[in-house]
Amino acid sequence: MALRNIRIDDDPILRKVSRPVEKLDQRTQTLIDDMFDTMYDAEGVGLAAPQVGVLKQVVVIDTGEEDEKMVLINPEIIREEGEQRGQEGCLSFPGKAGFVTRPNVVTVRALDREGNVFEKTGEGLLARAFCHEIDHLKGQVYIDKVEEWVKRE
Ligand code: NI
């Protein structure tokens, strides 16, 4: 188990665009393992590689639902449907949460950790996670999309 340092707040790496992964070498596999460890340790449901300082198109997600633990390499959104407004947070912006409108159903196409292409359709929280994490790979962060901040007592 290896935890990586989560980049937070105004760390400039969070605003940079990630590069596609060209080969799934041991370095990438170790990155994926470390990202899962780091995400679970921080009790998040998703983590993108730039959040641990690596500008590669790698995302890990685990919403806690069956079949919703996954690795997405070079992911792209190929279909969106509907709309949902809900609370969102991010491990890179600790202590904050805000309401963001996202599509309600999202289909992604990506490579898994063995390099096989797959497509997955997510609804609700999983659709939100797809959008949020893929935004990270483009250097976009949810705080710029917040419509209303959740007030913390
Ligand atoms: Ni995030």
Side-chain angles (χ1 to χ4, degrees):
M1 163 149 177
L3 299 180
R4 303 220 182 178
N5 220 8
I6 299 179
R7 305 301 187 93
I8 61 165
D9 297 328
D10 52 6
D11 190 315
I13 204 154
L14 294 173
R15 303 287 184 162
K16 292 190 174 153
V17 176
S18 293
R19 294 178 300 276
V21 174
E22 277 164 24
K23 59 178 197 292
L24 287 164
D25 51 11
Q26 188 51 49
R27 211 179 155 85
T28 309
Q29 300 296 341
T30 303
L31 171 66
I32 292 166
D33 289 334
D34 291 354
M35 284 173 64
F36 273 117
D37 290 341
T38 304
M39 179 182 75
Y40 290 130
D41 182 71
E43 297 180 351
V45 299
L47 190 70
Q51 293 182 272
V52 293
V54 178
L55 290 171
K56 283 185 182 172
Q57 292 181 13
V58 178
V59 161
V60 297
I61 289 175
D62 188 348
T63 64
E65 296 292 318
E66 215 178 324
D67 298 334
E68 293 190 2
K69 172 180 175 170
M70 67 194 86
V71 177
L72 300 108
I73 297 163
N74 304 344
E76 50 177 336
I77 291 174
I78 58 172
R79 204 169 70 94
E80 300 182 351
E81 204 182 297
E83 204 177 86
Q84 57 169 324
R85 185 170 186 268
Q87 268 191 46
E88 212 164 301
C90 178
L91 295 176
S92 290
F93 300 95
K96 286 191 170 81
F99 286 90
V100 182
T101 299
R102 300 282 194 183
N104 193 46
V105 181
V106 172
T107 302
V108 294
R109 181 184 292 144
L111 303 178
D112 65 18
R113 66 185 301 168
E114 280 81 43
N116 303 307
V117 180
F118 71 98
E119 289 179 10
K120 171 95 181 168
T121 299
E123 197 179 335
L125 176 60
L126 183 57
R128 179 175 296 280
F130 285 155
C131 295
H132 179 113
E133 302 308 333
I134 290 172
D135 275 356
H136 273 300
L137 303 180
K138 301 177 199 155
Q140 297 172 8
V141 287
Y142 91 104
I143 57 167
D144 294 340
K145 298 184 174 179
V146 167
E147 295 144 13
E148 185 191 343
W149 290 99
V150 176
K151 293 208 174 51
R152 293 281 164 95
E153 294 303 313

